[in-house]
Each structure stands twice: as structure tokens, then as C-alpha cells.
Amino acid sequence: MNFYKKSSIKTRLFISQILLLSLSMMSFFVLSYAYVAVKSRKDVSQSINHSSDTASLQTTKLLNQMENTLYYVSQDSRIPQILSSKNIHGTVNEKYSDYLYIINSLPIFQNSCDFPVKLSVYIPPEINPVYYDYYNTFNADDLKNTSYFHILDENDNRFFYYGDPANNSIFIINTIYDINDYNRVVGYIKISVDIPVFGEVLEQASPDKTTSLLYNKHGGLITASSAVNLTADDNSLLSALDEEKNMNSVRLSDNRRFFAVRRGADHSNYSIVMLYPAKYVYITNLIIFLFLLILLCIVSVCAFIISRRVSSSLINSIDSLVGAMKRVSLGEFKTLPLPDESKENETVQITEAYKHMIETIDNLIKYNERYALTLKKYEFDFLQMQIKPHFLYNTLNVIQSLYLDNHADDAVRLISVLSKFYKLSLHTQSDFVNLEHEINHILKYIEIENYKYNNAINVKVDVPDELRRCLVPK
């Protein structure tokens, strides 16, 4: 602050320009980068939300088709009546006819879906112990021996969803009850689809650099749109994300950061998680940061050059004014050049006022010099006017004394010397005469004085010839 107070106006103006430019440019930089950073994050959020909604919608559409097919087989076909039949001791032909219906109708029901599915019927051995191992029909004991049957047995929902990565399939199972006794299970109908079908759906819904994951309700990863290395902890973290949030920021076990969105498939036990690597957002922000930084430098330099050019007239006016003041302080009163600007400019008005002041002071100094010379001349002339009458009176008294003392020759010579003295005095009207003239004048004066003091004054003149021509005041 002390430096700023002690600095010149030009320095203060320069510092003010730098501070103003720096403040404005930094504000522009910070606001622009903040806007871009927020917008890039918002764009990613909108993109993965839209993609996750699309993937969720397509997954729900697949599951709905599977449910509708399974519902039709379970409700509108003869399969429930066949499985509910108590005619265990029926003829072989009767049982074979029912079995043919089952294995012939299942392909028809499968073709009702837009994608390849497989329908299977699990028949208890006591219902059809002979033909349980034919196409799409299995022994119910095979189902009961699976790891997920106890979950199915405890599930009160109409449909049971399960992903079986080991067999590369996702299936829905519906329990068939006796139409005459709803407490008696007479079989199971399962519709399954290959996991790659869902993988294709996820891949189509995933934008560039995005990975879509399909999870079951237990947090198990069913499939993904692209290869991704995830640990069990990572799957637990992703499958438990809040569905209400537009976007979650997650850090996986290997310190990779992702922006993630989780959406559940309607009326199912599956959910879609969309992952977008955060590094791409950071790289984009870094590129924008560098671009804005370069732009900031370019704009700052251009703004500084323009501001300097705009303020150069003011600085030049101040410099010329300061230079003129320094010359005046050294006694040099020169005409101050006016800036080539509008008369309404404050610096021009100041310069004009200072120029007028200098001219006035210069005229006053010159007037005072002339006045001083005139005054000295008048004083000298007045002094001469006082001296000359006394000198003349005294000289005349000496001449009178010489005549009275009968020294007529000396009186004549003194008159002659007095005549030459006044001739030299009145010879020129100029204020300056050469030195030789003034010496002769002095010698005549001394010669007259020696008549008064009996030659008591002895003067020797030793002046070089080159100086005798010099002018001196009269």
C-alpha cells in the first residue's frame, strides 16, 4: 500500500489496469469453468438417466412378454386341467394324448414372443410317471433339487424370477395349483430366455463409454453390456444404489470412480445400473480448463493492449505536462505542445491552463527584467545628473583659482582637458562604449583631479589591445 501511495500516476494507472483486467478475467474464467463443469455433469446425468430409463423400459418389455406368455400358458391352456387331473390310473393312450398336447402346445406359446424363449413344464411323477423326461417336460423332483427351490417354495408371488448365470439364462417360474384344490401343487411352468438377449438390450440402450448392468434382487450380477471387472463388494454397492437419485458418484474397490444411476424394471426383481466412468468427465473438464486458460491469456493480452492504447493519450499528456513542469523548475519557459485530442478532454484543458500560466509567467519575467534594466538606467542617469554639476562647479572653481594666482597657462590647459572630458561624455548616446573610450574618459578625469590635488594621483593603465575593443556600460 505504501508503494502504491508513493508511486506515480502512470504507475498507479498501470496497476489499476492490471488489477481490473485480472479481476474481470478471473471472474470470467471461474464462472465459465463452473458453468461448463456443472453442465458437463448435468449432460452426463441426463444421458445416463435417459439410457437407464430406456434400458429399464426394454427390460420390462421383455419380462412382460415372458409374463404374458407364462400367464397364458398357466391360465388359458389345458395344461392346468391336465396337471390337476386325478385320473392317475387312466389308460396309456389318455395320458399320452395329454402329454402330446403339452409338448405340441409349448412351441406355439414360445413363438408368441418377439425373442427366443423356452417353455418347460415340471410334472410330478405321480401325475405322469412314464413320459416325464421328454421334450420340455421334466420331473418336478429335478426342480426341487435346485438351489433356488426353497426360495421358490417360500415365495408367495405369482411369478418367481431368477437368473442362472451358470446356465446362461433368466427364467420365470409359476406354480400350478390344482384347480379343485388350491392347497395342492400339481406342477411348475418355467419360461426362460438366454442372458445374451438381455445383454443385447442393454448394449443398444447404452451410449458410448457407458456400461449397463442387470442385477437381481439379491444383488447378483446377471449380465452387462460390456466387460467390466467388479468384485462382490462392488456388486453389493451398485445394486443398493438409491433409485430416487438422478445420479450417484461411486468409488469401486479398485479406486475407479463412476457416475451411476439405478433403475428398477417394473413389477420384477431386476434392476438396471448404468455406469459412466468419471475420468471422461474429468478429462473433458481438464480440456475445457486448458482451453479457457489459453483463451483467458489471449483475451487478457488483447484487453491489456487495447487499454494501454486507450490510456496512452492520457499518459502522454501527463508525461508532457510533467516534462514541462521540470523545464519550468529549471527556468526554461517553452511553449507546451497541446495533445491532439478533443477540447472536451480534461487533460487537454489542464494542459491549456498550464500553458497559459507558463506564458503569463514568462511574460511577467521578461517584463520584470526590462523594468529592472530601465530602473537601473534611470538610477544611473539620475546619479550622473547629480555628480556632473558638482564636478563642473568644482572644476570651474579650480580654473578661477588658477587665474587669480596668475597661472593662466594652467587654467587654459585645464579648460582644454575639461572640454575633451565632456566631449567624450557626450560623444555617444549609447548605453555601452568600448573599453578604450572609457579608459580615455577616466584619464581625462584623473588629469582634471590632479589640478586640484597637485598631481597626487598617479595611474598606470595596462590593458591588452584585444580587450580595448570590448564593450562596457557607459
Side-chain angles (χ1 to χ4, degrees), residues 13-14 19 108 113 116 122 145 163 177-178 228 232 248-249 253 325 381 383 422 469:
L13 183 60
F14 177 77
L19 292 178
I108 297 174
C113 290
Y122 290 84
N145 292 329
Y177 296 95
D178 190 337
V228 58
N248 301 270
S249 179
S253 56
M325 290 180 177
D381 292 343
L383 183 60
Y422 277 104
R469 292 188 295 273

Side-chain angles (χ1 to χ4, degrees), residues 10-24 303-312 314-315:
K10 183 164 59 175
T11 303
R12 293 185 184 184
L13 183 60
F14 177 77
I15 294 175
S16 300
Q17 288 176 335
I18 294 297
L19 292 178
L20 183 60
L21 286 174
S22 300
L23 181 61
S24 58
F304 176 74
I305 294 174
I306 294 174
S307 64
R308 289 292 293 174
R309 290 180 64 87
V310 171
S311 61
S312 61
L314 175 60
I315 295 175

Side-chain angles (χ1 to χ4, degrees), residues 63-238:
L63 294 174
N64 285 339
Q65 286 194 38
M66 294 173 65
E67 289 178 357
N68 292 335
T69 301
L70 188 60
Y71 181 85
Y72 181 76
V73 174
S74 301
Q75 300 294 326
D76 297 338
S77 70
R78 290 181 51 234
I79 293 177
Q81 287 83 359
I82 293 173
L83 297 182
S84 299
S85 174
K86 294 183 179 181
N87 189 14
I88 300 176
H89 303 290
T91 64
V92 173
N93 290 333
E94 290 176 347
K95 293 184 178 183
Y96 184 70
S97 175
D98 293 339
Y99 176 72
L100 286 178
Y101 173 81
I102 292 175
I103 63 174
N104 289 329
S105 62
L106 290 181
I108 297 174
F109 296 140
Q110 291 175 173
N111 293 332
S112 64
C113 290
D114 297 333
F115 49 93
V117 296
K118 181 179 179 182
L119 281 166
S120 301
V121 178
Y122 290 84
I123 305 174
E126 63 272 15
I127 296 179
N128 197 342
V130 179
Y131 301 109
Y132 70 90
D133 57 349
Y134 273 69
Y135 177 74
N136 283 349
T137 61
F138 303 93
N139 190 333
D141 290 338
D142 295 339
L143 182 64
K144 294 179 180 179
N145 292 329
T146 59
S147 60
Y148 54 82
F149 179 77
H150 68 281
I151 303 176
L152 170 64
D153 194 38
E154 297 173 357
N155 195 350
D156 295 331
N157 296 330
R158 172 178 291 276
F159 298 136
F160 172 74
Y161 298 84
Y162 193 84
D164 189 5
N167 294 319
N168 200 30
S169 64
I170 296 176
F171 55 80
I172 306 175
I173 298 177
N174 186 27
T175 303
I176 305 299
Y177 296 95
D178 190 337
I179 60 174
N180 300 312
D181 184 5
Y182 287 103
N183 292 321
R184 175 173 172 257
V185 177
V186 295
Y188 303 93
I189 299 178
K190 180 176 76 172
I191 184 170
S192 60
V193 62
D194 292 339
I195 288 178
V197 173
F198 284 89
E200 292 177 2
V201 171
L202 297 180
E203 186 176 358
Q204 292 175 0
S206 301
D208 188 28
K209 303 174 184 177
T210 304
T211 301
S212 298
L213 309 172
L214 179 63
Y215 285 96
N216 58 26
K217 70 174 184 177
H218 303 293
L221 177 61
I222 304 302
T223 185
S225 61
S226 58
V228 58
N229 295 324
L230 297 174
T231 64
D233 293 337
D234 295 336
N235 288 324
S236 298
L237 173 65
L238 295 175

